[in-house]
Amino acid sequence: MGHLLTNYYEAASVILFGIGFMNLLLQNNLIKKFIGLNIMDTATYLFLAAKGYVFGRIAPILTNGIVDAEYYINPIPAGLVLTGIVVSVSVTAFSLALVLRLYKHYGTLNMDEILRMVREEEGE
């Protein structure tokens, strides 16, 4: 229990990931499903950022002639987070465009209703 208080960013990211995952599983509305997916993305980025930060180190910009790597934070997790944000925004935009098309065709965002209508169309 002591590590939970010192690793609160990691604990918060696990809790957020769980909330997003449960939202993704339990909601029937497609918009709510994508909100859950975005919560899971955010939790992953928080976890990566928390793991990439080392207390007492500074940003990897050479100052005062210090070239030893032990004084700087690793910039790779920050780069991964930025790349992941760009990808998730693109996937979300594409997914919302598909949801809009589904709504125009079926008139609902309820996943169960859409699947029922698809089965009826196939049965005709």
Side-chain angles (χ1 to χ4, degrees), residues 19 29 35 50-51 58 66 72 86 90 100 107 116 120-121:
I19 290 170
N29 189 321
I35 290 172
K51 287 313 220 181
I58 59 173
I66 299 173
Y72 299 109
V86 169
S90 302
L100 183 63
R116 183 186 57 77
E120 286 177 0
E121 287 177 358

Side-chain angles (χ1 to χ4, degrees), residues 4-124:
L4 186 64
L5 297 176
T6 57
N7 298 330
Y8 52 90
Y9 288 120
E10 289 88 349
S13 68
V14 168
I15 291 168
L16 277 174
F17 193 89
I19 290 170
F21 188 67
M22 292 307 294
N23 194 16
L24 192 64
L25 289 177
L26 298 177
Q27 296 295 331
N28 283 330
N29 189 321
L30 289 173
I31 299 291
K32 291 179 181 179
K33 283 185 179 286
F34 286 114
I35 290 172
L37 188 66
N38 282 328
I39 291 171
M40 289 170 58
D41 286 344
T42 304
T44 304
Y45 305 144
L46 175 63
F47 186 78
L48 279 173
K51 287 313 220 181
Y53 181 74
V54 178
F55 185 74
R57 294 188 182 183
I58 59 173
I61 301 170
L62 295 179
T63 56
N64 300 330
I66 299 173
V67 294
D68 291 335
E70 65 189 30
Y71 293 103
Y72 299 109
I73 296 171
N74 187 1
I76 292 175
L80 289 173
V81 167
L82 287 174
T83 304
I85 289 170
V86 169
V87 170
S88 71
V89 166
S90 302
V91 168
T92 301
F94 181 70
S95 301
L96 290 176
L98 290 177
V99 167
L100 183 63
R101 296 285 302 232
L102 282 171
Y103 182 74
K104 284 182 180 179
H105 188 269
Y106 294 108
T108 184
L109 293 176
N110 189 335
M111 190 70 171
D112 293 335
E113 289 293 317
I114 291 172
L115 289 174
R116 183 186 57 77
M117 289 180 199
V118 167
R119 287 186 190 111
E120 286 177 0
E121 287 177 358
E122 289 176 355
E124 292 180 358

